């Protein structure tokens, strides 16, 4: 895909669309009100499209179950993410491009103090620790080299981070690096995204849609006067896309007060990734905002139940693991209003799916039967990386929308045969434009 996002040209942080729709502007129907649906709406609205978002529920801010997008750790990560699920070659090749586009946009938001406060986005040091010299693990060494050359700011390979950050030397970490990364207060950002997209012209409609979208495509397009349908339904794609490869990846986070009274305030993220951790158990410690610290994590495939408590064995192991890693956490006080957050990451066996619906339907035209392509576009299966990949995936969706509107045939995703380090380096040049002019996020 070659669809740049350029702040000030086709993407705007202002509460109005960068390009206003005209009478002939197509209408895009987005199904799904999480971060993927809202960011897709934002990008499409700024291109001059009309947008309607349909969701069964929206972000809420009570002690009841919140959206998966709100529960997410929302630490920007270069793939594969800490939870270690997206190791598929196709996912990795595309995600490296997607994540750098998102990095540029989130960083631009964080660079504006007023906007950063409204959106809940900050740039913080992100620290990764390893129980082996990184050179001894080929995949981790390659990932570190790619990060260093990607345009991510503040990269620093420094084993002394173990001592600097107060990591227990008995835990076994021997190597480390850090870089600056967007950290997002998801409750605040979801509220901001909802207000922003509505102010740009999006219409919100609350409705539960069930069954395969392909079989009700024309009815939905007609009912909402839409030209294209974008499926951003996460785990619900199991039924709405008829995709049996979708599955839940249950996760949970403990929320503790991070005000510096009971232990030294943690102002950066600290992590050991799944493929570097013993027994595949993650250490994930991330400031949610200035007052709350998240402690994680677990990644449990095919677990649908949201029945974890602070007494659950896996939660107790998770907390004990974090306390062994960063001993000061033993004195941490729980957030009484919301002590544990849990949700189902929308995972997929093969890869993240950002492509057009490949099924066709037979129609009669001038007495001949032809295969008519669907007008559905899918963007789901992001696992724990929805925030990290958001704008990158949305840029590809824009291109697919244009393909549909030009009646081009659909084609499936393809694996890129090489690691595109030259392209990742190109993204670094675009990132530099954060300071030099219009912000271009493109590979």
């Amino acid at each position: 895909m070659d669809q740049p996002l350029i702040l000030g040209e086709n993407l705007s942080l202002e509460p109005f669309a960068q390009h206003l729709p005209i009478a002939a502007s197509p209408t895009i129907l987005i199904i799904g009100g999480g971060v993927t649906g809202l960011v897709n709406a934002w990008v499409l609205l700024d291109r001059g499209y009309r947008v309607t978002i349909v969701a069964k529920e929206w972000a809420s801010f009570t002690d009841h179950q919140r959206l998966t997008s709100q529960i997410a750790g929302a630490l920007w990560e270069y793939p594969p993410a800490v939870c270690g699920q997206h190791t598929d070659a196709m996912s990795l090749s595309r995600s490296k491009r997607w994540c750098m586009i998102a990095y540029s946009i989130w960083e631009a938001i964080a660079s504006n103090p007023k906007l950063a406060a409204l959106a809940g986005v900050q740039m913080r040091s992100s620290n990764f620790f390893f129980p082996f010299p990184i050179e001894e693990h080929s995949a981790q060494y390659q990932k570190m080299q790619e990060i260093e050359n990607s345009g991510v700011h503040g990269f620093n390979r420094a084993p002394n981070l173990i001592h600097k950050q107060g990591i227990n030397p008995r835990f076994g970490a021997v190597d480390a690096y850090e870089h600056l990364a967007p950290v997002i207060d998801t409750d605040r950002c979801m509220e901001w995204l909802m207000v922003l997209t509505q102010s740009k012209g999006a219409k919100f409609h609350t409705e539960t849609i069930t069954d395969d979208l392909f079989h009700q495509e024309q009815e939905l397009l007609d009912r909402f006067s839409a030209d294209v349908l974008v499926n951003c339904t996460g785990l619900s794609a199991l039924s709405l896309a008829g995709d049996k490869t979708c599955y839940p990846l249950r996760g949970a986070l403990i929320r503790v007060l991070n005000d510096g009274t009971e232990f030294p305030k943690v102002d950066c993220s600290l992590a050991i990734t799944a493929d570097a951790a013993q027994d595949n158990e993650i250490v994930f410690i991330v400031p949610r905002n200035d007052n709350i610290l998240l402690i994680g994590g677990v990644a449990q495939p095919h677990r649908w139940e949201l029945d974890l408590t602070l007494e659950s064995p896996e939660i107790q192991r998770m907390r004990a693991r974090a306390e062994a890693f960063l001993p000061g956490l033993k004195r941490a006080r729980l957030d009484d209003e919301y002590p544990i957050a849990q949700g189902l990451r929308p995972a997929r066996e093969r890869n993240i799916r950002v492509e057009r619906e490949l099924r066709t339907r037979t129609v009669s035209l001038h007495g001949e039967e032809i295969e008519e392509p669907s007008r559905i576009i899918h963007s789901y299966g992001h696992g724990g990386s929805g925030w990290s990949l958001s704008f990158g995936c949305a840029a590809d969706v824009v291109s697919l929308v244009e393909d549909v509107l030009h009646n081009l045939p659909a084609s499936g995703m393809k694996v890129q045969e090489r690691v595109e380090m030259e392209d990742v380096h190109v993204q670094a040049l675009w990132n530099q434009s954060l300071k030099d002019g219009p912000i271009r996020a493109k590979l």
Side-chain angles (χ1 to χ4, degrees):
M1 298 293 175
D2 184 20
Q3 192 67 259
L5 297 183
I6 308 172
L7 276 175
E9 292 186 25
N10 59 23
L11 189 72
S12 169
L13 301 176
E14 300 295 335
F16 47 83
Q18 181 70 32
H19 298 282
L20 295 175
I22 60 175
S25 294
T27 295
I28 314 302
L29 175 62
I30 295 175
I31 311 296
V35 61
T36 301
L38 292 173
V39 169
N40 272 282
W42 174 1
V43 172
L44 288 162
L45 287 160
D46 275 347
R47 298 293 176 106
Y49 293 103
R50 304 179 193 276
V51 173
T52 297
I53 308 174
V54 175
K56 64 181 180 181
E57 56 189 345
W58 307 91
S60 62
F61 311 98
T62 68
D63 57 357
H64 296 292
Q65 181 63 33
R66 303 186 187 186
L67 295 186
T68 300
S69 293
Q70 295 177 263
I71 294 163
L75 166 69
W76 180 93
E77 295 181 74
Y78 191 86
V82 164
C83 64
Q85 294 302 306
H86 284 136
T87 56
D88 172 89
M90 188 181 298
S91 280
L92 287 176
S93 65
R94 290 172 173 264
S95 295
K96 290 170 185 178
R97 174 170 58 87
W98 288 333
C99 78
M100 293 309 303
I101 294 172
Y103 186 98
S104 295
I105 305 302
W106 292 124
E107 185 183 33
I109 295 168
S111 69
N112 181 319
K114 182 178 179 180
L115 196 59
L118 287 172
V121 182
Q122 301 181 59
M123 297 297 291
R124 293 180 181 265
S125 173
S126 187
N127 296 249
F128 295 89
F129 300 89
F130 304 86
F132 44 72
I134 298 173
E135 288 83 356
E136 294 182 1
H137 191 292
S138 60
Q140 288 291 350
Y141 184 58
Q142 177 179 324
K143 178 179 176 178
M144 181 184 73
Q145 289 182 308
E146 291 179 12
I147 291 173
E148 186 175 10
N149 292 291
S150 68
V152 166
H153 300 309
F155 178 85
N156 176 35
R157 165 83 178 279
N160 65 359
L161 289 168
I162 299 166
H163 173 73
K164 177 183 176 181
Q165 301 296 356
I167 307 305
N168 183 359
R170 296 180 180 178
F171 197 85
V174 299
D175 209 345
Y177 61 75
E178 65 177 336
H179 60 75
L180 290 176
V183 178
I184 301 168
D185 183 336
T186 54
D187 285 337
R188 183 173 297 179
C189 198
M190 284 295 292
E191 183 177 25
W192 177 73
L193 286 171
M194 291 172 66
V195 171
L196 181 69
T197 52
Q198 286 182 301
S199 69
K200 288 177 180 286
K203 297 179 180 179
F204 283 22
H205 179 81
T206 305
E207 179 181 339
T208 300
I209 296 176
T210 58
D211 301 323
D212 196 328
L213 293 173
F214 180 74
H215 300 309
Q216 52 187 322
E217 175 181 344
Q218 195 58 53
E219 185 272 330
L220 289 168
L221 292 175
D222 290 344
R223 181 152 62 93
F224 290 96
S225 302
D227 301 279
V228 182
L229 190 158
V230 182
N231 172 26
C232 302
T233 56
L235 194 54
S236 293
L238 181 67
S239 59
L240 294 182
D243 190 342
K244 303 307 180 186
T245 71
C246 295
Y247 66 94
L249 185 66
R250 185 169 70 169
L253 297 165
I254 296 172
R255 296 167 54 99
V256 300
L257 302 183
N258 188 30
D259 56 10
T261 59
E262 303 298 330
F263 60 90
K265 188 178 180 72
V266 178
D267 59 7
C268 60
S269 66
L270 311 168
I272 294 181
T273 62
D275 57 350
Q278 297 178 353
D279 300 322
N280 206 44
E281 293 199 319
I282 306 163
V283 173
F284 182 80
I285 301 169
V286 178
R288 171 62 94 203
N289 49 45
D290 290 335
N291 300 309
I292 298 295
L293 186 69
L294 304 180
I295 298 175
V298 293
Q300 299 176 314
H302 305 287
R303 294 293 300 273
W304 288 92
E305 309 84 6
L306 291 174
D307 57 0
L308 294 171
T309 69
L310 292 170
E311 288 70 44
S312 298
E314 54 265 73
I315 299 303
Q316 291 186 334
R317 289 198 308 272
M318 179 179 79
R319 186 169 187 175
R321 193 164 61 244
E323 292 173 351
F325 177 73
L326 190 66
L329 294 180
K330 294 177 181 179
R331 301 187 297 275
R333 289 182 294 126
L334 293 171
D335 174 14
D336 289 336
E337 293 183 1
Y338 192 26
I340 183 171
Q342 58 185 307
L344 305 177
R345 303 177 184 95
R348 190 169 183 258
E349 290 177 5
R350 289 175 291 183
N351 48 66
I352 300 167
R353 188 181 188 191
V354 180
E355 69 175 355
R356 291 175 60 183
E357 172 60 55
L358 300 178
R359 290 173 290 179
T360 61
R361 52 179 53 84
T362 303
V363 297
S364 179
L365 181 66
H366 305 305
E368 295 184 14
E369 290 190 344
I370 62 171
E371 294 301 310
E372 181 181 69
S374 169
R375 302 179 78 80
I376 296 173
I377 296 165
H378 299 286
S379 184
Y380 64 83
H382 299 85
S385 301
W387 291 92
S388 294
L389 306 179
S390 51
F391 290 98
C393 293
D396 279 12
V397 166
V398 171
S399 288
L400 294 171
V401 165
E402 293 179 354
D403 288 351
V404 171
L405 293 173
H406 286 90
N407 295 313
L408 297 178
S411 60
M413 298 184 296
K414 296 180 180 179
V415 178
Q416 295 170 329
E417 297 294 337
R418 60 193 174 86
V419 176
E420 298 183 343
M421 283 308 300
E422 314 93 85
D423 288 345
V424 172
H425 178 67
V426 168
Q427 183 63 56
L429 301 180
W430 289 125
N431 286 348
Q432 185 59 41
S433 67
L434 283 166
K435 298 181 178 63
D436 299 341
I439 300 166
R440 299 172 180 259
K442 171 186 175 183
L443 280 182

